[in-house]
Amino acid sequence: MNEALSNDDLNFVSTDMTNKVTVSSKETYLEDYDLESTTSNTSNQRPIRPRHLFLVSIGTGVGTGMLVSTGSALRQAGPANLIIAYILVSSFIFTTYNSISELAVVYKNLSGSYNDMFKFLIDPGFAFATVFVYALNYLCIMPLELVTSSLLIRYWTTKVNSDIFVVCFYVLINAVNFIGSIGFAEFEFFVSALKLIAVISFMIFGIIKDVGGVPGQEYIGGKYWRSPGAFSSHSKIERFKGLCACFVFACFSYGGLEVSVMLSSVVQNPVYALKKARKMLLYRIFLIYFGIIIFIGLLVPYTNEKLLGGGSSASDASPLIIAVANIKVYPHILNAVILLSVLSVANCAYYSAARILHSFFVQFYPHPTLIKVDRKGRAVTCMFITSIFGLLSFFAAAPFRVDFFNWLLALSGLAVLFLYFGFNLAHIRFRAAMKVQNRSLNELAFISPTGVWGSYWGIFMVVIIFIAQFWVALTPIGTHTPNAQSFFQNYLCAILWILCYIGHKLYNRNCQFLIPLDKLNIDKDRIIYNHEELMQQEKEHLKMTQNGRFWKKLLNFFC
């Protein structure tokens, strides 16, 4: 523990044989200390400050899913379905974030954060399958994002081999992550700030263009909602199928939001940081996601051939770039920001893959070489494995690259849904175990404002999305007959999860579906907070804010 912390600042009252820790809440509002992890399995430190977590909560994950793949969703379903899907998905994303944040605070000393919780809150088999496909998800995302970044370069030139740019980006991502957590955080902080500026500028431009303020271009208004229309099909079944397809696009674009929760294991003052990060997530939903979706729906018709998968030679373009076409300079600036955003997701994927792999090996195969952590808190073996997977990105110029990356994406496409299901189920079972074992919620430093019902809503939505994706995967939009290739490319991850789950059960000869609530060891590695001190700290912080300067009050209100 950092010697700079006095007993008055952070008071560890007791640590018993179950690793249960009782702690005061002073750390919640103290931002200037560097608290080391107390985890026995790793020497990971806490070099990341709350400011990093704030912008990571806003910008991390805003890459291919939101800025590029929305073009494909718009083409298949139309703008109305896109907005409906994002509203429904955003509702359960927010409740899910609240649920896992509650657990992340009380189990903040787990080296793998939420990846370690599934094993003792749900079931080892569920944990094995979920963490495996989740690790595979990020291992696949990194090369996919690097390839996407090389495609974005084609906006400027098509004369240079794509692998040249992949090499440059591959070296950059590896270098940033080998600096350590602080290298990852500073890179994300810088890129997230640029994303936010770019999104705001795009929305301002969108308003000007939509009302006819761009010289030489007519008033648009809701023209494209009337013709070609708000939906891509006149058939009710096809319209509903388009909505189902948009669900997965929306979930994919939200991928990465859980990274801010994972960072809580290495961030200074995680309780304070996660409370603020929740507010940043709301900005991400309403400002970035809804703002982009609304304006591309107004400015780009779903019949535009340049949209991803539209059949045009230029169909790799982002809908944002299509929306600002025929404007000098600005499209180049916007494409550069989109390029940095995609690299940001690749950076996030590298960082997450290494940490998730480390958590997986610690839980299920703790070989000293595989779980090795150096003095700077880097899981070196897991980082090496991630770097090896990243070499798949060099297929960017291969003639079979489209089929290869389609199947690569199929391996990991639904992993995030299993993760969100696990978040909500773990929260429900944690609260149920607290009740069965007669424990008080006053032991928690952060209580989810959406409660257990928010977790039930999350599980319901995830199940609905799985069913919807099964239907769309089996009979794609525009067809009425089953398509085996489409099914496996869209549902292969679910099949892999089932095989991993059954395989773990058979290997360990364990037929138990869930750990009984009365046998859940919810005290292991859990921090129990002093409720009275929490309330006192809240009052002191509120009083300090009220007596502060106006700009500090304003900053505290919005951030």
Side-chain angles (χ1 to χ4, degrees):
M1 191 62 59
N2 195 325
E3 295 179 358
L5 293 174
S6 67
N7 289 332
D8 292 331
D9 292 322
L10 185 59
N11 180 28
F12 282 92
V13 179
S14 65
T15 305
D16 61 21
M17 293 302 289
T18 63
N19 295 322
K20 177 175 65 179
V21 181
T22 305
V23 62
S24 76
S25 60
K26 278 281 188 179
E27 65 160 2
T28 305
Y29 299 111
L30 297 178
E31 301 184 51
D32 298 325
Y33 295 114
D34 186 9
L35 180 65
E36 293 183 358
S37 172
T38 59
T39 308
S40 60
N41 293 329
T42 180
S43 59
N44 288 349
Q45 298 179 338
R46 300 184 188 271
I48 298 177
R49 298 181 65 84
R51 68 175 176 88
H52 294 119
L53 198 63
F54 298 162
L55 277 182
V56 164
S57 300
I58 292 179
T60 296
V62 181
T64 303
M66 171 52 64
L67 303 179
V68 180
S69 296
T70 45
S72 180
L74 178 65
R75 179 183 58 80
Q76 293 182 53
N81 269 335
L82 201 55
I83 291 177
I84 294 170
Y86 268 91
I87 289 173
L88 291 174
V89 169
S90 297
S91 68
F92 96 80
I93 287 292
F94 182 67
T95 61
T96 298
Y97 189 87
N98 286 328
S99 300
I100 192 58
S101 293
E102 179 181 305
L103 296 178
V105 170
V106 294
Y107 292 112
K108 68 186 180 71
N109 285 334
L110 291 174
S111 62
S113 187
Y114 49 78
N115 296 294
D116 294 358
M117 299 175 194
F118 300 146
K119 188 174 183 179
F120 63 86
L121 288 178
I122 301 177
D123 171 70
F126 180 91
F128 178 85
T130 302
V131 178
F132 178 80
V133 297
Y134 184 48
L136 186 62
N137 171 58
Y138 275 119
L139 287 172
C140 294
I141 283 178
M142 181 193 168
L144 286 168
E145 296 296 331
L146 291 178
V147 171
T148 302
S149 62
S150 69
L151 293 177
L152 289 169
I153 296 289
R154 293 170 57 185
Y155 180 76
W156 293 300
T157 179
T158 57
K159 296 179 180 179
V160 182
N161 189 300
S162 298
D163 283 345
I164 302 244
F165 298 108
V166 170
V167 170
C168 298
F169 299 145
Y170 177 83
V171 171
L172 172 65
I173 297 302
N174 276 271
V176 166
N177 281 275
F178 270 91
I179 294 174
S181 293
I182 192 63
F184 162 81
E186 291 294 354
F187 183 86
E188 289 301 313
F189 182 85
F190 170 73
V191 176
S192 294
L194 286 180
K195 289 180 191 177
L196 188 58
I197 294 170
V199 168
I200 293 173
S201 72
F202 173 74
M203 287 190 290
I204 293 172
F205 171 82
I207 294 172
I208 295 171
K209 182 175 180 179
D210 192 59
V211 299
V214 177
Q217 298 190 27
E218 62 179 9
Y219 170 81
I220 299 175
K223 172 184 176 181
Y224 297 136
W225 279 64
R226 295 188 298 272
S227 178
F231 300 93
S232 62
S233 175
H234 297 293
S235 165
K236 292 182 179 180
I237 293 294
E238 289 301 312
R239 285 183 179 183
F240 184 67
K241 192 179 287 187
L243 175 63
C244 293
C246 285
F247 281 143
V248 176
F249 281 106
C251 288
F252 179 64
S253 65
Y254 271 112
L257 75 91
E258 70 280 357
V259 173
S260 61
V261 180
M262 189 189 300
L263 283 174
S264 66
S265 64
V266 290
V267 74
Q268 297 173 21
N269 313 314
V271 182
Y272 169 82
L274 280 172
K275 285 183 177 181
K276 293 295 184 180
R278 181 166 52 91
K279 191 179 291 185
M280 297 301 107
L281 176 62
L282 283 175
Y283 293 151
R284 176 175 171 178
I285 291 172
F286 289 105
L287 179 63
I288 297 182
Y289 284 79
F290 285 173
I292 291 176
I293 291 300
I294 289 170
F295 281 106
I296 65 172
L298 289 172
L299 303 178
V300 183
Y302 69 78
T303 53
N304 192 304
E305 291 186 354
K306 292 183 179 180
L307 290 170
L308 190 65
S312 166
S313 59
S315 63
D316 294 319
S318 162
L320 277 70
I321 299 300
I322 298 171
V324 300
N326 303 321
I327 305 296
K328 294 182 179 179
V329 182
Y330 186 54
H332 296 279
I333 297 173
L334 202 56
N335 196 62
V337 174
I338 293 173
L339 174 61
L340 285 174
S341 300
V342 172
L343 289 177
S344 167
V345 177
N347 181 48
C348 170
Y350 188 106
Y351 180 84
S352 301
R355 292 186 68 85
I356 297 164
L357 276 176
H358 184 265
S359 172
F360 180 80
F361 289 138
V362 166
Q363 293 183 75
F364 301 105
Y365 192 69
H367 190 280
T369 302
L370 295 175
I371 63 174
K372 181 180 180 181
V373 178
D374 66 9
R375 293 180 180 178
K376 292 185 177 181
R378 298 174 300 193
V380 287
T381 304
C382 296
M383 291 179 73
F384 178 74
I385 294 172
T386 306
S387 296
I388 294 298
F389 253 82
L391 294 175
L392 294 174
S393 58
F394 290 103
F395 285 124
F400 54 85
R401 64 184 181 277
V402 175
D403 288 335
F404 176 78
F405 285 110
N406 279 341
W407 285 107
L408 191 65
L409 187 60
L411 281 173
S412 57
L414 298 176
V416 70
L417 288 177
F418 287 107
L419 187 75
Y420 294 159
F421 184 90
F423 285 169
N424 289 292
L425 183 58
H427 182 244
I428 290 170
R429 289 179 56 75
F430 173 76
R431 285 289 193 92
M434 291 275 287
K435 187 176 182 179
V436 168
Q437 298 177 26
N438 296 317
R439 309 302 291 268
S440 172
L441 294 182
N442 289 337
E443 297 175 357
L444 308 179
F446 174 80
I447 298 177
S448 168
T450 49
V452 177
W453 289 109
S455 296
Y456 279 115
W457 170 248
I459 286 180
F460 172 77
M461 281 301 301
V462 170
V463 171
I464 290 297
I465 293 171
F466 267 120
I467 295 171
Q469 180 62 8
F470 182 87
W471 180 36
V472 174
L474 191 62
T475 56
I477 296 175
T479 66
H480 300 285
T481 56
N483 186 314
Q485 181 174 342
S486 171
F487 176 78
F488 284 107
Q489 282 193 346
N490 288 278
Y491 230 74
L492 185 60
C493 181
I495 297 172
L496 179 62
W497 187 93
I498 293 171
L499 291 175
C500 289
Y501 180 80
I502 295 175
H504 184 274
K505 291 292 185 183
L506 293 175
Y507 181 80
N508 291 280
R509 298 179 181 179
N510 176 17
C511 297
Q512 182 177 266
F513 182 61
L514 293 171
I515 302 173
L517 293 176
D518 59 343
K519 294 183 180 179
L520 283 185
N521 188 1
I522 59 174
D523 289 334
K524 187 178 187 304
D525 294 314
R526 181 165 75 95
I527 296 177
I528 299 176
Y529 291 83
N530 187 309
H531 182 68
E532 292 181 0
E533 288 196 24
L534 278 172
M535 294 299 99
Q536 183 62 31
Q537 288 299 320
E538 290 279 0
K539 291 178 182 178
E540 290 179 7
H541 178 69
L542 181 62
K543 184 178 180 181
M544 184 174 61
T545 302
Q546 291 175 343
N547 295 333
R549 295 181 178 179
F550 175 76
W551 68 269
K552 285 190 175 181
K553 294 180 183 178
L554 199 64
L555 187 66
N556 182 73
F557 177 79
F558 285 105
C559 300

